[in-house]
Amino acid sequence: MKTISKFIEIGNEATGNNVSYQEITDEQNYDIFDAMGVPRTTDGKFKKDSEAPFSSDGMVTFGQAIREGKMSLKTDDFEKLTGDQPLTVKYMFEHSDDFQIGARHSQDK
């Protein structure tokens, strides 16, 4: 199963939502962030109270890395370094209010 699809499945199960994933091109992804006023690089002008307070280059290349399997290697490095178990995606969805970044503007019901 694709990494993003599994992520969406876990999120839907934990939240009761019914979100689906539609693959888009990198240029379409840039277009979405451009429309939100997200600068492409950290040299750009960041919009006050942005719902995405990051540069879009970082977010688009993150998606590229996932597609290319660069995040498929699982290690126990975090546990070795910290002595703690890493948080699971399920836990983060179940406690999503603790992990919000940026302003919330969605009016979806």
Side-chain angles (χ1 to χ4, degrees):
M1 181 178 280
K2 288 183 176 181
T3 303
I4 299 248
S5 297
K6 184 63 176 174
F7 182 85
I8 298 293
E9 179 185 311
I10 293 167
N12 284 336
E13 184 178 304
T15 64
N17 290 334
N18 187 25
V19 174
S20 61
Y21 173 68
Q22 179 181 348
E23 194 164 321
I24 60 175
T25 67
D26 292 337
E27 200 51 48
Q28 289 170 311
N29 205 358
Y30 277 119
D31 290 344
I32 291 167
F33 290 122
D34 290 348
M36 293 168 56
V38 175
R40 290 198 177 197
T41 69
T42 55
D43 294 334
K45 183 173 168 123
F46 286 82
K47 188 172 135 187
K48 185 177 192 265
D49 294 328
S50 173
E51 56 256 60
F54 309 102
S55 64
S56 60
D57 270 350
M59 292 182 282
V60 172
T61 57
F62 188 78
Q64 291 169 344
I66 291 170
R67 282 194 316 274
E68 294 172 9
K70 297 188 187 284
M71 299 197 184
S72 61
L73 179 65
K74 182 180 180 191
T75 72
D76 61 354
D77 292 347
F78 181 85
E79 185 178 356
K80 285 179 185 175
L81 290 169
T82 67
D84 294 328
Q85 291 289 317
L87 300 177
T88 65
V89 170
K90 181 178 184 215
Y91 177 89
M92 288 189 285
F93 273 114
E94 289 172 342
H95 300 89
S96 62
D97 286 344
D98 296 338
F99 298 97
Q100 296 300 315
I101 297 173
R104 299 287 146 240
H105 300 287
S106 176
Q107 300 298 313
D108 295 346
K109 301 284 182 204

